[in-house]
Amino acid sequence: MEDKGTDLITAFDSLFTTNKIQMLKVLLTRFPTSQQGSFAIYIKFLELQYTLQFLRLRPQPRIPFSKPLSADLFSGDNSDTIELLDELLPFSGPEERTRIENMKNMLQNIAKMKEMMEMMEMMKEMFPEGFGSAGENSMDFFSGMAGMPDMSSVFEMFGKEV
């Protein structure tokens, strides 16, 4: 995953630089330590200048490997967002890593809940008698299915009322 992030950064950097600027970066390593900071600023200035010129000519450049995120995190497919979070992890510090992991877990839990709700809707359509009026036990339909244990006894075993 870290290689993919590095590849994306390299692709971005190569789009917004020139061979001359890359040569200056190599040359920087040969300068005395006392002059490297000033020369690094000069190189960054040249990159900024080149980027501004590049964007004037191409107002909407296609960044290599770019793919927009889905617009709706909570109702759409959020696998692209989870992939992005995975790509950010190698570049994050301990606190950021924790936040990113928490966001990933939240999005994965939302996806699981959505799957469960879709499954329940499908079950309602397949077994409407099991999801009858409010007074009926909504888990009774499982007890008649072959190989399924009586769900009410399972819930009683764990001290929950059905």
mmCIF file of all heavy atoms in Angstrom, residues 33-82:
data_model
loop_
_atom_site.group_PDB
_atom_site.id
_atom_site.type_symbol
_atom_site.label_atom_id
_atom_site.label_comp_id
_atom_site.label_asym_id
_atom_site.label_seq_id
_atom_site.Cartn_x
_atom_site.Cartn_y
_atom_site.Cartn_z
ATOM 1 N N THR A 33 26.378 22.195 3.199
ATOM 2 C CA THR A 33 25.186 22.179 4.055
ATOM 3 C C THR A 33 24.643 23.583 4.308
ATOM 4 O O THR A 33 23.424 23.790 4.309
ATOM 5 C CB THR A 33 25.518 21.493 5.398
ATOM 6 O OG1 THR A 33 26.131 20.241 5.136
ATOM 7 C CG2 THR A 33 24.265 21.277 6.221
ATOM 8 N N SER A 34 25.501 24.533 4.487
ATOM 9 C CA SER A 34 25.069 25.910 4.782
ATOM 10 C C SER A 34 24.291 26.536 3.621
ATOM 11 O O SER A 34 23.512 27.464 3.833
ATOM 12 C CB SER A 34 26.281 26.782 5.128
ATOM 13 O OG SER A 34 27.169 26.838 4.016
ATOM 14 N N GLN A 35 24.456 26.053 2.400
ATOM 15 C CA GLN A 35 23.787 26.629 1.237
ATOM 16 C C GLN A 35 22.586 25.801 0.773
ATOM 17 O O GLN A 35 21.813 26.257 -0.074
ATOM 18 C CB GLN A 35 24.787 26.769 0.088
ATOM 19 C CG GLN A 35 25.892 27.758 0.376
ATOM 20 C CD GLN A 35 26.937 27.779 -0.733
ATOM 21 O OE1 GLN A 35 26.954 26.925 -1.614
ATOM 22 N NE2 GLN A 35 27.813 28.774 -0.683
ATOM 23 N N GLN A 36 22.406 24.607 1.296
ATOM 24 C CA GLN A 36 21.344 23.719 0.823
ATOM 25 C C GLN A 36 19.950 24.277 1.092
ATOM 26 O O GLN A 36 19.057 24.152 0.258
ATOM 27 C CB GLN A 36 21.485 22.326 1.449
ATOM 28 C CG GLN A 36 22.625 21.541 0.863
ATOM 29 C CD GLN A 36 22.782 20.166 1.492
ATOM 30 O OE1 GLN A 36 22.120 19.834 2.479
ATOM 31 N NE2 GLN A 36 23.672 19.366 0.930
ATOM 32 N N GLY A 37 19.756 24.916 2.245
ATOM 33 C CA GLY A 37 18.433 25.462 2.570
ATOM 34 C C GLY A 37 17.993 26.524 1.578
ATOM 35 O O GLY A 37 16.861 26.493 1.067
ATOM 36 N N SER A 38 18.866 27.458 1.284
ATOM 37 C CA SER A 38 18.535 28.524 0.326
ATOM 38 C C SER A 38 18.287 27.952 -1.063
ATOM 39 O O SER A 38 17.365 28.372 -1.763
ATOM 40 C CB SER A 38 19.671 29.546 0.256
ATOM 41 O OG SER A 38 19.863 30.149 1.506
ATOM 42 N N PHE A 39 19.102 26.972 -1.452
ATOM 43 C CA PHE A 39 18.939 26.380 -2.773
ATOM 44 C C PHE A 39 17.629 25.581 -2.852
ATOM 45 O O PHE A 39 16.969 25.575 -3.891
ATOM 46 C CB PHE A 39 20.148 25.495 -3.101
ATOM 47 C CG PHE A 39 20.312 25.221 -4.567
ATOM 48 C CD1 PHE A 39 20.541 26.246 -5.471
ATOM 49 C CD2 PHE A 39 20.228 23.925 -5.054
ATOM 50 C CE1 PHE A 39 20.693 25.992 -6.829
ATOM 51 C CE2 PHE A 39 20.373 23.657 -6.399
ATOM 52 C CZ PHE A 39 20.609 24.699 -7.295
ATOM 53 N N ALA A 40 17.253 24.929 -1.752
ATOM 54 C CA ALA A 40 15.979 24.187 -1.709
ATOM 55 C C ALA A 40 14.804 25.145 -1.905
ATOM 56 O O ALA A 40 13.842 24.822 -2.621
ATOM 57 C CB ALA A 40 15.852 23.435 -0.389
ATOM 58 N N ILE A 41 14.879 26.319 -1.283
ATOM 59 C CA ILE A 41 13.820 27.324 -1.459
ATOM 60 C C ILE A 41 13.764 27.767 -2.915
ATOM 61 O O ILE A 41 12.684 27.904 -3.497
ATOM 62 C CB ILE A 41 14.040 28.525 -0.514
ATOM 63 C CG1 ILE A 41 13.813 28.078 0.928
ATOM 64 C CG2 ILE A 41 13.111 29.684 -0.873
ATOM 65 C CD1 ILE A 41 14.227 29.099 1.970
ATOM 66 N N TYR A 42 14.908 27.959 -3.531
ATOM 67 C CA TYR A 42 14.972 28.351 -4.943
ATOM 68 C C TYR A 42 14.320 27.277 -5.819
ATOM 69 O O TYR A 42 13.535 27.581 -6.716
ATOM 70 C CB TYR A 42 16.426 28.585 -5.361
ATOM 71 C CG TYR A 42 16.594 28.892 -6.826
ATOM 72 C CD1 TYR A 42 16.123 30.087 -7.367
ATOM 73 C CD2 TYR A 42 17.217 27.987 -7.676
ATOM 74 C CE1 TYR A 42 16.273 30.374 -8.714
ATOM 75 C CE2 TYR A 42 17.375 28.261 -9.026
ATOM 76 C CZ TYR A 42 16.894 29.454 -9.542
ATOM 77 O OH TYR A 42 17.034 29.726 -10.881
ATOM 78 N N ILE A 43 14.621 26.005 -5.541
ATOM 79 C CA ILE A 43 14.029 24.902 -6.313
ATOM 80 C C ILE A 43 12.507 24.898 -6.152
ATOM 81 O O ILE A 43 11.764 24.750 -7.129
ATOM 82 C CB ILE A 43 14.640 23.547 -5.886
ATOM 83 C CG1 ILE A 43 16.104 23.480 -6.326
ATOM 84 C CG2 ILE A 43 13.846 22.378 -6.448
ATOM 85 C CD1 ILE A 43 16.871 22.286 -5.756
ATOM 86 N N LYS A 44 12.026 25.072 -4.933
ATOM 87 C CA LYS A 44 10.575 25.099 -4.698
ATOM 88 C C LYS A 44 9.937 26.286 -5.417
ATOM 89 O O LYS A 44 8.833 26.177 -5.950
ATOM 90 C CB LYS A 44 10.260 25.150 -3.192
ATOM 91 C CG LYS A 44 10.549 23.860 -2.478
ATOM 92 C CD LYS A 44 9.684 22.756 -3.038
ATOM 93 C CE LYS A 44 9.915 21.444 -2.346
ATOM 94 N NZ LYS A 44 9.157 20.355 -2.975
ATOM 95 N N PHE A 45 10.625 27.411 -5.445
ATOM 96 C CA PHE A 45 10.128 28.572 -6.173
ATOM 97 C C PHE A 45 10.006 28.246 -7.663
ATOM 98 O O PHE A 45 9.003 28.582 -8.297
ATOM 99 C CB PHE A 45 11.049 29.784 -5.965
ATOM 100 C CG PHE A 45 10.697 30.949 -6.828
ATOM 101 C CD1 PHE A 45 9.574 31.720 -6.558
ATOM 102 C CD2 PHE A 45 11.478 31.277 -7.935
ATOM 103 C CE1 PHE A 45 9.240 32.788 -7.367
ATOM 104 C CE2 PHE A 45 11.145 32.336 -8.754
ATOM 105 C CZ PHE A 45 10.025 33.101 -8.470
ATOM 106 N N LEU A 46 11.014 27.581 -8.234
ATOM 107 C CA LEU A 46 10.962 27.203 -9.646
ATOM 108 C C LEU A 46 9.804 26.234 -9.913
ATOM 109 O O LEU A 46 9.128 26.327 -10.942
ATOM 110 C CB LEU A 46 12.295 26.582 -10.086
ATOM 111 C CG LEU A 46 13.491 27.523 -10.166
ATOM 112 C CD1 LEU A 46 14.750 26.736 -10.520
ATOM 113 C CD2 LEU A 46 13.242 28.642 -11.165
ATOM 114 N N GLU A 47 9.581 25.311 -8.991
ATOM 115 C CA GLU A 47 8.452 24.382 -9.142
ATOM 116 C C GLU A 47 7.125 25.125 -9.115
ATOM 117 O O GLU A 47 6.221 24.828 -9.907
ATOM 118 C CB GLU A 47 8.481 23.316 -8.044
ATOM 119 C CG GLU A 47 9.513 22.248 -8.261
ATOM 120 C CD GLU A 47 9.486 21.175 -7.192
ATOM 121 O OE1 GLU A 47 9.308 21.491 -6.002
ATOM 122 O OE2 GLU A 47 9.655 19.999 -7.556
ATOM 123 N N LEU A 48 6.994 26.082 -8.206
ATOM 124 C CA LEU A 48 5.769 26.873 -8.134
ATOM 125 C C LEU A 48 5.575 27.660 -9.426
ATOM 126 O O LEU A 48 4.481 27.683 -9.990
ATOM 127 C CB LEU A 48 5.805 27.821 -6.928
ATOM 128 C CG LEU A 48 4.631 28.787 -6.797
ATOM 129 C CD1 LEU A 48 3.319 28.030 -6.628
ATOM 130 C CD2 LEU A 48 4.853 29.738 -5.634
ATOM 131 N N GLN A 49 6.629 28.279 -9.893
ATOM 132 C CA GLN A 49 6.559 29.054 -11.123
ATOM 133 C C GLN A 49 6.157 28.162 -12.302
ATOM 134 O O GLN A 49 5.284 28.512 -13.095
ATOM 135 C CB GLN A 49 7.926 29.694 -11.373
ATOM 136 C CG GLN A 49 7.952 30.730 -12.456
ATOM 137 C CD GLN A 49 9.332 31.368 -12.542
ATOM 138 O OE1 GLN A 49 10.354 30.725 -12.277
ATOM 139 N NE2 GLN A 49 9.360 32.646 -12.903
ATOM 140 N N TYR A 50 6.761 26.991 -12.403
ATOM 141 C CA TYR A 50 6.426 26.063 -13.479
ATOM 142 C C TYR A 50 4.968 25.595 -13.359
ATOM 143 O O TYR A 50 4.250 25.513 -14.358
ATOM 144 C CB TYR A 50 7.370 24.848 -13.471
ATOM 145 C CG TYR A 50 6.967 23.824 -14.496
ATOM 146 C CD1 TYR A 50 7.244 24.026 -15.845
ATOM 147 C CD2 TYR A 50 6.282 22.666 -14.131
ATOM 148 C CE1 TYR A 50 6.853 23.104 -16.803
ATOM 149 C CE2 TYR A 50 5.888 21.739 -15.071
ATOM 150 C CZ TYR A 50 6.177 21.964 -16.412
ATOM 151 O OH TYR A 50 5.784 21.054 -17.351
ATOM 152 N N THR A 51 4.544 25.299 -12.151
ATOM 153 C CA THR A 51 3.165 24.840 -11.936
ATOM 154 C C THR A 51 2.165 25.906 -12.366
ATOM 155 O O THR A 51 1.158 25.594 -13.017
ATOM 156 C CB THR A 51 2.949 24.454 -10.454
ATOM 157 O OG1 THR A 51 3.881 23.437 -10.101
ATOM 158 C CG2 THR A 51 1.532 23.959 -10.208
ATOM 159 N N LEU A 52 2.418 27.154 -12.018
ATOM 160 C CA LEU A 52 1.517 28.239 -12.426
ATOM 161 C C LEU A 52 1.455 28.357 -13.945
ATOM 162 O O LEU A 52 0.364 28.514 -14.518
ATOM 163 C CB LEU A 52 1.957 29.562 -11.796
ATOM 164 C CG LEU A 52 1.772 29.659 -10.280
ATOM 165 C CD1 LEU A 52 2.447 30.918 -9.740
ATOM 166 C CD2 LEU A 52 0.306 29.612 -9.907
ATOM 167 N N GLN A 53 2.590 28.259 -14.621
ATOM 168 C CA GLN A 53 2.614 28.320 -16.081
ATOM 169 C C GLN A 53 1.887 27.120 -16.683
ATOM 170 O O GLN A 53 1.115 27.254 -17.628
ATOM 171 C CB GLN A 53 4.052 28.358 -16.596
ATOM 172 C CG GLN A 53 4.761 29.656 -16.331
ATOM 173 C CD GLN A 53 6.249 29.565 -16.680
ATOM 174 O OE1 GLN A 53 6.804 28.485 -16.865
ATOM 175 N NE2 GLN A 53 6.892 30.731 -16.742
ATOM 176 N N PHE A 54 2.127 25.959 -16.125
ATOM 177 C CA PHE A 54 1.497 24.725 -16.593
ATOM 178 C C PHE A 54 -0.033 24.833 -16.500
ATOM 179 O O PHE A 54 -0.750 24.486 -17.430
ATOM 180 C CB PHE A 54 2.021 23.547 -15.759
ATOM 181 C CG PHE A 54 1.464 22.208 -16.155
ATOM 182 C CD1 PHE A 54 2.078 21.455 -17.140
ATOM 183 C CD2 PHE A 54 0.338 21.692 -15.514
ATOM 184 C CE1 PHE A 54 1.574 20.209 -17.497
ATOM 185 C CE2 PHE A 54 -0.169 20.456 -15.864
ATOM 186 C CZ PHE A 54 0.454 19.708 -16.865
ATOM 187 N N LEU A 55 -0.508 25.347 -15.369
ATOM 188 C CA LEU A 55 -1.956 25.445 -15.156
ATOM 189 C C LEU A 55 -2.592 26.540 -16.009
ATOM 190 O O LEU A 55 -3.784 26.474 -16.301
ATOM 191 C CB LEU A 55 -2.268 25.648 -13.676
ATOM 192 C CG LEU A 55 -1.945 24.444 -12.784
ATOM 193 C CD1 LEU A 55 -2.174 24.784 -11.320
ATOM 194 C CD2 LEU A 55 -2.750 23.227 -13.198
ATOM 195 N N ARG A 56 -1.836 27.547 -16.390
ATOM 196 C CA ARG A 56 -2.372 28.557 -17.307
ATOM 197 C C ARG A 56 -2.645 27.941 -18.672
ATOM 198 O O ARG A 56 -3.629 28.260 -19.321
ATOM 199 C CB ARG A 56 -1.395 29.727 -17.451
ATOM 200 C CG ARG A 56 -1.764 30.881 -16.567
ATOM 201 C CD ARG A 56 -0.937 32.128 -16.866
ATOM 202 N NE ARG A 56 -0.365 32.545 -15.599
ATOM 203 C CZ ARG A 56 0.920 32.642 -15.326
ATOM 204 N NH1 ARG A 56 1.817 32.404 -16.244
ATOM 205 N NH2 ARG A 56 1.327 32.989 -14.135
ATOM 206 N N LEU A 57 -1.755 27.058 -19.089
ATOM 207 C CA LEU A 57 -1.916 26.406 -20.388
ATOM 208 C C LEU A 57 -2.952 25.283 -20.352
ATOM 209 O O LEU A 57 -3.635 25.029 -21.332
ATOM 210 C CB LEU A 57 -0.570 25.841 -20.861
ATOM 211 C CG LEU A 57 0.527 26.873 -21.119
ATOM 212 C CD1 LEU A 57 1.846 26.173 -21.438
ATOM 213 C CD2 LEU A 57 0.131 27.806 -22.250
ATOM 214 N N ARG A 58 -3.032 24.609 -19.238
ATOM 215 C CA ARG A 58 -3.972 23.487 -19.059
ATOM 216 C C ARG A 58 -4.749 23.710 -17.767
ATOM 217 O O ARG A 58 -4.377 23.180 -16.731
ATOM 218 C CB ARG A 58 -3.206 22.170 -18.963
ATOM 219 C CG ARG A 58 -2.448 21.801 -20.197
ATOM 220 C CD ARG A 58 -1.544 20.597 -19.895
ATOM 221 N NE ARG A 58 -0.460 20.487 -20.821
ATOM 222 C CZ ARG A 58 0.720 21.102 -20.702
ATOM 223 N NH1 ARG A 58 0.965 21.888 -19.682
ATOM 224 N NH2 ARG A 58 1.660 20.938 -21.603
ATOM 225 N N PRO A 59 -5.837 24.485 -17.826
ATOM 226 C CA PRO A 59 -6.563 24.841 -16.592
ATOM 227 C C PRO A 59 -7.099 23.637 -15.804
ATOM 228 O O PRO A 59 -7.284 23.722 -14.610
ATOM 229 C CB PRO A 59 -7.709 25.713 -17.076
ATOM 230 C CG PRO A 59 -7.360 26.114 -18.461
ATOM 231 C CD PRO A 59 -6.410 25.108 -19.007
ATOM 232 N N GLN A 60 -7.354 22.533 -16.486
ATOM 233 C CA GLN A 60 -7.869 21.356 -15.785
ATOM 234 C C GLN A 60 -7.038 20.136 -16.151
ATOM 235 O O GLN A 60 -7.475 19.276 -16.904
ATOM 236 C CB GLN A 60 -9.333 21.134 -16.133
ATOM 237 C CG GLN A 60 -10.216 22.259 -15.675
ATOM 238 C CD GLN A 60 -11.668 22.018 -16.020
ATOM 239 O OE1 GLN A 60 -12.006 21.151 -16.787
ATOM 240 N NE2 GLN A 60 -12.530 22.813 -15.434
ATOM 241 N N PRO A 61 -5.829 20.055 -15.598
ATOM 242 C CA PRO A 61 -4.968 18.917 -15.960
ATOM 243 C C PRO A 61 -5.498 17.619 -15.384
ATOM 244 O O PRO A 61 -6.196 17.610 -14.376
ATOM 245 C CB PRO A 61 -3.630 19.275 -15.322
ATOM 246 C CG PRO A 61 -4.003 20.082 -14.133
ATOM 247 C CD PRO A 61 -5.222 20.875 -14.566
ATOM 248 N N ARG A 62 -5.210 16.553 -16.042
ATOM 249 C CA ARG A 62 -5.562 15.214 -15.553
ATOM 250 C C ARG A 62 -4.388 14.717 -14.712
ATOM 251 O O ARG A 62 -3.305 14.455 -15.226
ATOM 252 C CB ARG A 62 -5.817 14.286 -16.736
ATOM 253 C CG ARG A 62 -5.987 12.842 -16.355
ATOM 254 C CD ARG A 62 -7.445 12.540 -16.058
ATOM 255 N NE ARG A 62 -7.630 11.108 -15.969
ATOM 256 C CZ ARG A 62 -7.941 10.489 -14.851
ATOM 257 N NH1 ARG A 62 -8.129 11.173 -13.754
ATOM 258 N NH2 ARG A 62 -8.105 9.194 -14.835
ATOM 259 N N ILE A 63 -4.609 14.639 -13.415
ATOM 260 C CA ILE A 63 -3.578 14.137 -12.512
ATOM 261 C C ILE A 63 -3.517 12.617 -12.692
ATOM 262 O O ILE A 63 -4.552 11.953 -12.628
ATOM 263 C CB ILE A 63 -3.898 14.489 -11.038
ATOM 264 C CG1 ILE A 63 -4.156 15.982 -10.855
ATOM 265 C CG2 ILE A 63 -2.803 13.990 -10.113
ATOM 266 C CD1 ILE A 63 -2.976 16.873 -11.103
ATOM 267 N N PRO A 64 -2.335 12.061 -12.922
ATOM 268 C CA PRO A 64 -2.240 10.604 -13.116
ATOM 269 C C PRO A 64 -2.822 9.833 -11.927
ATOM 270 O O PRO A 64 -2.663 10.226 -10.786
ATOM 271 C CB PRO A 64 -0.733 10.360 -13.219
ATOM 272 C CG PRO A 64 -0.148 11.671 -13.575
ATOM 273 C CD PRO A 64 -1.057 12.712 -12.999
ATOM 274 N N PHE A 65 -3.490 8.749 -12.228
ATOM 275 C CA PHE A 65 -4.082 7.833 -11.246
ATOM 276 C C PHE A 65 -5.231 8.460 -10.452
ATOM 277 O O PHE A 65 -5.655 7.903 -9.452
ATOM 278 C CB PHE A 65 -3.035 7.299 -10.250
ATOM 279 C CG PHE A 65 -1.819 6.708 -10.884
ATOM 280 C CD1 PHE A 65 -0.586 7.313 -10.757
ATOM 281 C CD2 PHE A 65 -1.912 5.539 -11.610
ATOM 282 C CE1 PHE A 65 0.542 6.771 -11.331
ATOM 283 C CE2 PHE A 65 -0.795 4.984 -12.196
ATOM 284 C CZ PHE A 65 0.433 5.596 -12.062
ATOM 285 N N SER A 66 -5.712 9.628 -10.866
ATOM 286 C CA SER A 66 -6.768 10.260 -10.067
ATOM 287 C C SER A 66 -8.106 9.577 -10.311
ATOM 288 O O SER A 66 -8.402 9.138 -11.411
ATOM 289 C CB SER A 66 -6.871 11.760 -10.381
ATOM 290 O OG SER A 66 -7.255 11.942 -11.719
ATOM 291 N N LYS A 67 -8.870 9.479 -9.240
ATOM 292 C CA LYS A 67 -10.233 8.950 -9.324
ATOM 293 C C LYS A 67 -11.036 9.603 -8.209
ATOM 294 O O LYS A 67 -10.702 9.480 -7.032
ATOM 295 C CB LYS A 67 -10.258 7.423 -9.228
ATOM 296 C CG LYS A 67 -9.460 6.837 -8.102
ATOM 297 C CD LYS A 67 -9.440 5.339 -8.196
ATOM 298 C CE LYS A 67 -8.511 4.792 -7.144
ATOM 299 N NZ LYS A 67 -8.441 3.371 -7.122
ATOM 300 N N PRO A 68 -12.080 10.314 -8.572
ATOM 301 C CA PRO A 68 -12.880 11.042 -7.576
ATOM 302 C C PRO A 68 -13.534 10.097 -6.571
ATOM 303 O O PRO A 68 -13.850 8.955 -6.879
ATOM 304 C CB PRO A 68 -13.939 11.749 -8.417
ATOM 305 C CG PRO A 68 -13.450 11.688 -9.822
ATOM 306 C CD PRO A 68 -12.553 10.497 -9.919
ATOM 307 N N LEU A 69 -13.733 10.622 -5.373
ATOM 308 C CA LEU A 69 -14.430 9.860 -4.334
ATOM 309 C C LEU A 69 -15.926 9.892 -4.600
ATOM 310 O O LEU A 69 -16.442 10.833 -5.195
ATOM 311 C CB LEU A 69 -14.159 10.476 -2.959
ATOM 312 C CG LEU A 69 -12.758 10.345 -2.412
ATOM 313 C CD1 LEU A 69 -12.623 11.123 -1.114
ATOM 314 C CD2 LEU A 69 -12.408 8.890 -2.188
ATOM 315 N N SER A 70 -16.620 8.878 -4.102
ATOM 316 C CA SER A 70 -18.078 8.894 -4.208
ATOM 317 C C SER A 70 -18.605 10.055 -3.382
ATOM 318 O O SER A 70 -18.043 10.409 -2.345
ATOM 319 C CB SER A 70 -18.674 7.573 -3.720
ATOM 320 O OG SER A 70 -18.337 7.337 -2.379
ATOM 321 N N ALA A 71 -19.663 10.653 -3.848
ATOM 322 C CA ALA A 71 -20.172 11.865 -3.217
ATOM 323 C C ALA A 71 -20.873 11.602 -1.886
ATOM 324 O O ALA A 71 -20.855 12.444 -1.003
ATOM 325 C CB ALA A 71 -21.126 12.574 -4.166
ATOM 326 N N ASP A 72 -21.484 10.453 -1.732
ATOM 327 C CA ASP A 72 -22.271 10.194 -0.540
ATOM 328 C C ASP A 72 -21.687 9.034 0.254
ATOM 329 O O ASP A 72 -21.826 7.874 -0.110
ATOM 330 C CB ASP A 72 -23.714 9.880 -0.938
ATOM 331 C CG ASP A 72 -24.650 9.851 0.251
ATOM 332 O OD1 ASP A 72 -24.186 10.021 1.394
ATOM 333 O OD2 ASP A 72 -25.852 9.668 0.041
ATOM 334 N N LEU A 73 -21.021 9.353 1.356
ATOM 335 C CA LEU A 73 -20.356 8.332 2.163
ATOM 336 C C LEU A 73 -21.321 7.356 2.814
ATOM 337 O O LEU A 73 -20.989 6.207 3.037
ATOM 338 C CB LEU A 73 -19.541 8.996 3.275
ATOM 339 C CG LEU A 73 -18.286 9.729 2.855
ATOM 340 C CD1 LEU A 73 -17.646 10.397 4.067
ATOM 341 C CD2 LEU A 73 -17.308 8.802 2.192
ATOM 342 N N PHE A 74 -22.513 7.815 3.163
ATOM 343 C CA PHE A 74 -23.379 7.004 3.999
ATOM 344 C C PHE A 74 -24.407 6.179 3.248
ATOM 345 O O PHE A 74 -24.931 5.230 3.789
ATOM 346 C CB PHE A 74 -24.057 7.882 5.047
ATOM 347 C CG PHE A 74 -23.048 8.553 5.938
ATOM 348 C CD1 PHE A 74 -22.827 9.905 5.868
ATOM 349 C CD2 PHE A 74 -22.281 7.812 6.818
ATOM 350 C CE1 PHE A 74 -21.879 10.519 6.669
ATOM 351 C CE2 PHE A 74 -21.321 8.404 7.617
ATOM 352 C CZ PHE A 74 -21.130 9.763 7.549
ATOM 353 N N SER A 75 -24.708 6.512 1.995
ATOM 354 C CA SER A 75 -25.673 5.683 1.292
ATOM 355 C C SER A 75 -25.079 5.036 0.055
ATOM 356 O O SER A 75 -25.614 4.066 -0.442
ATOM 357 C CB SER A 75 -26.917 6.496 0.917
ATOM 358 O OG SER A 75 -26.573 7.509 0.001
ATOM 359 N N GLY A 76 -23.970 5.541 -0.438
ATOM 360 C CA GLY A 76 -23.335 4.961 -1.609
ATOM 361 C C GLY A 76 -22.263 3.964 -1.223
ATOM 362 O O GLY A 76 -22.038 3.666 -0.051
ATOM 363 N N ASP A 77 -21.591 3.451 -2.215
ATOM 364 C CA ASP A 77 -20.473 2.541 -1.991
ATOM 365 C C ASP A 77 -19.293 3.373 -1.520
ATOM 366 O O ASP A 77 -18.873 4.307 -2.190
ATOM 367 C CB ASP A 77 -20.140 1.816 -3.295
ATOM 368 C CG ASP A 77 -18.931 0.916 -3.171
ATOM 369 O OD1 ASP A 77 -18.620 0.498 -2.033
ATOM 370 O OD2 ASP A 77 -18.297 0.638 -4.197
ATOM 371 N N ASN A 78 -18.757 3.058 -0.362
ATOM 372 C CA ASN A 78 -17.668 3.849 0.191
ATOM 373 C C ASN A 78 -16.331 3.112 0.144
ATOM 374 O O ASN A 78 -15.406 3.462 0.862
ATOM 375 C CB ASN A 78 -17.990 4.325 1.601
ATOM 376 C CG ASN A 78 -18.292 3.184 2.547
ATOM 377 O OD1 ASN A 78 -17.954 2.049 2.274
ATOM 378 N ND2 ASN A 78 -18.930 3.479 3.647
ATOM 379 N N SER A 79 -16.219 2.103 -0.708
ATOM 380 C CA SER A 79 -14.965 1.354 -0.795
ATOM 381 C C SER A 79 -13.824 2.238 -1.290
ATOM 382 O O SER A 79 -12.674 2.046 -0.886
ATOM 383 C CB SER A 79 -15.128 0.136 -1.694
ATOM 384 O OG SER A 79 -15.517 0.530 -2.996
ATOM 385 N N ASP A 80 -14.130 3.228 -2.138
ATOM 386 C CA ASP A 80 -13.082 4.133 -2.608
ATOM 387 C C ASP A 80 -12.558 5.009 -1.471
ATOM 388 O O ASP A 80 -11.364 5.315 -1.410
ATOM 389 C CB ASP A 80 -13.569 4.992 -3.779
ATOM 390 C CG ASP A 80 -14.813 5.792 -3.458
ATOM 391 O OD1 ASP A 80 -15.516 5.463 -2.478
ATOM 392 O OD2 ASP A 80 -15.097 6.760 -4.186
ATOM 393 N N THR A 81 -13.419 5.371 -0.546
ATOM 394 C CA THR A 81 -12.993 6.165 0.602
ATOM 395 C C THR A 81 -12.109 5.332 1.524
ATOM 396 O O THR A 81 -11.080 5.806 2.017
ATOM 397 C CB THR A 81 -14.210 6.702 1.375
ATOM 398 O OG1 THR A 81 -15.039 7.429 0.475
ATOM 399 C CG2 THR A 81 -13.783 7.595 2.525
ATOM 400 N N ILE A 82 -12.484 4.088 1.737
ATOM 401 C CA ILE A 82 -11.675 3.194 2.566
ATOM 402 C C ILE A 82 -10.313 2.958 1.910
ATOM 403 O O ILE A 82 -9.281 2.955 2.582
ATOM 404 C CB ILE A 82 -12.426 1.871 2.834
ATOM 405 C CG1 ILE A 82 -13.642 2.157 3.734
ATOM 406 C CG2 ILE A 82 -11.507 0.828 3.464
ATOM 407 C CD1 ILE A 82 -14.575 1.005 3.916
#
